[in-house]
Structure formats: structure tokens, C-alpha cells
Amino acid sequence: DQQVKQNSPSLSVQEGRISILNCDYTNSMFDYFLWYKKYPAEGPTFLISISSIKDKNEDGRFTVFLNKSAKHLSLHIVPSQPGDSAVYFCAASAPGETSGSRLTFGEGTQLTVNP
Amino acid sequence: NAGVMQNPRHLVRRRGQEARLRCSPMKGHSHVYWYRQLPEEGLKFMVYLQKENIIDESGMPKERFSAEFPKEGPSILRIQQVVRGDSAAYFCASSRGVGDTEAFFGQGTRLTVV
């Protein structure tokens, strides 16, 4: 049962343009959402997050949008840079003492930014 | 301020051997999570530990896998009698505690079973 889904395994954009990565979830108990970036042979690196009480969070070139009614979130990167090329994982967490910061991950989207 | 440290980075084991993966959380972090990433897949939760306690092991295979986080020393993920299907990247993450929404990841251990 894949509770967090990233339906696009790959995305290719030109340098300077916008990258939009999408993520859908099914578990209505999720209340916190995160995006991680991962380079080959390295661990995931936290990028940006959003609480379910918000619909938008912005940090520099990165903006995450959350549509709770549609159970959908997206990550916008503007402008895209070649160094942004990596695998991006969407992750979600649900509250509770036995869950802590336990994360449920999507399958990832490989972003390639072409010079 | 060292991040989450995992060792070894690469581990090769023959079928039937034991694999021991170590994870030292970030300073000040008392919660540890182990995840597994199979080829072409996302990270899957395995187990959540606090010092000397297993909080949630719902993602652990029922046999051959065990984890511990002793009072002193790193967290250990142990895989007994490894099989080829255990080949994967194993990531450890740590956080400060309940209510801390962000977990920091180590660089992972790549296990190859030959």
C-alpha cells in the first residue's frame, strides 16, 4: 500500500526555467510533509517542509504547495540550476508518540536540469 | 558538529553470513530510525528506536533482522544469514525526540550480498 506516491519517475527542464515536482498521498492522518534531495551514494538531505495547517511555504528558490482537499503537494524550484539535478523524495509523517519523526517516502523523481 | 555517522559505507557479505550496520546519531539526538532503499525504489521505514527501547519495528522483516540502540554506543542493525534480496542501501536517521518533525540522515551503508 503506497501511501505517498510520486507518479513521475523523471523530469527534465532547462536551466533557468521552473521545475515542478508532484506528490500525492492517501493517508489523511499525515500532518507534516517534507521534501528531501538525494545525490547518488549519499543520504537524503532535507530541503523544505510544510505543516498541514499551511498551504504554502517558501525558502529561497524553493516553494512547497499543499492542497489538503486533493491530498496533493508540489515542489517548485525557480529558477532551476544544473546543481539541482538529483532525486527528489516527498515524505510525510503522522503525529503520535510511537511515530516520532518516522517518515513515509514516495518513490522519488529524478530531476535533470540541462545547461 | 558531526552529522549522522554510518559505517561501514560499503559492506560485502556472502550468502549466509551476518551483516552489522552501525549508526551514531547527531549530538543531542536520542531517536534513531532505520530505512532501507531497494534498487529503483524509495526509502522504506524499518524500525524506530530510542535509547534501550524499540518503539516501532513494524517495518522490520519478521526473521533474520534485529536492531538495538544501547545506552552507550551506536545503534546496530543486524542481518543474520544474509540473502541476495538483502542487497540494498540502508540509511539511518536521527532526531531530537517526540515532536521534532525533522530527521537528519546519514550517508548510508550499501550492502551487497554475493
Side-chain angles (χ1 to χ4, degrees):
Chain A
D1 175 29
Q2 188 68 25
Q3 297 185 57
V4 177
K5 284 193 69 66
Q6 294 176 254
N7 289 315
S8 298
S10 63
L11 174 67
S12 184
V13 300
Q14 284 299 121
E15 181 178 5
R17 307 295 289 266
I18 184 171
S19 295
I20 300 176
L21 296 96
N22 294 302
C23 178
D24 297 291
Y25 62 96
T26 58
N27 188 345
S28 57
M29 296 300 293
F30 288 145
D31 69 343
Y32 199 78
F33 304 89
L34 308 90
W35 285 94
Y36 282 83
K37 176 179 176 180
K38 186 180 180 304
Y39 293 115
E42 293 187 13
T45 302
F46 170 75
L47 200 56
I48 192 169
S49 62
I50 187 166
S51 164
S52 60
I53 62 173
K54 295 186 175 182
D55 56 17
K56 177 183 174 181
N57 188 27
E58 193 171 351
D59 183 2
R61 297 186 296 114
F62 303 91
T63 303
V64 55
F65 296 92
L66 175 62
N67 182 334
K68 281 186 65 178
S69 60
K71 293 191 175 68
H72 176 85
L73 63 155
S74 61
L75 174 68
H76 292 212
I77 306 174
V78 180
S80 302
Q81 299 173 354
D84 296 330
S85 297
V87 177
Y88 288 77
F89 289 100
C90 171
S93 70
E97 288 193 2
T98 59
S99 60
S101 303
R102 167 186 171 171
L103 299 172
T104 301
F105 282 86
E107 306 94 327
T109 296
Q110 171 69 58
L111 172 65
T112 302
V113 180
N114 301 303
Chain B
N1 182 20
V4 178
M5 303 299 292
Q6 289 188 249
N7 67 82
R9 290 291 308 275
H10 301 274
L11 182 61
V12 179
R13 284 287 177 266
R14 295 186 184 277
R15 281 177 293 171
Q17 290 185 319
E18 179 179 285
R20 293 180 129 233
L21 289 65
R22 295 175 188 77
C23 169
S24 295
M26 282 182 69
K27 188 176 181 181
H29 287 194
S30 59
H31 293 223
V32 165
Y33 311 80
W34 284 93
Y35 293 83
R36 176 167 66 174
Q37 184 182 24
L38 295 169
E40 308 302 323
E41 294 188 13
L43 284 76
K44 303 290 187 191
F45 167 79
M46 299 181 75
V47 62
Y48 164 31
L49 310 105
Q50 297 175 22
K51 286 282 186 182
E52 299 184 282
N53 282 306
I54 297 175
I55 307 302
D56 180 359
E57 57 182 344
S58 59
M60 288 277 270
K62 294 286 184 267
E63 297 177 348
R64 302 187 297 107
F65 285 72
S66 63
E68 63 177 8
F69 189 16
K71 188 176 180 180
E72 302 290 338
S75 175
I76 306 287
L77 178 68
R78 182 185 298 140
I79 311 172
Q80 296 178 304
Q81 299 172 10
V82 296
V83 301
R84 288 238 171 96
D86 297 332
S87 295
Y90 292 82
F91 292 98
C92 169
S94 73
S95 68
R96 277 188 296 261
V98 174
D100 188 12
T101 49
E102 186 180 325
F104 295 85
F105 282 81
Q107 294 199 308
T109 293
R110 265 164 183 73
L111 172 66
T112 302
V113 179
V114 297

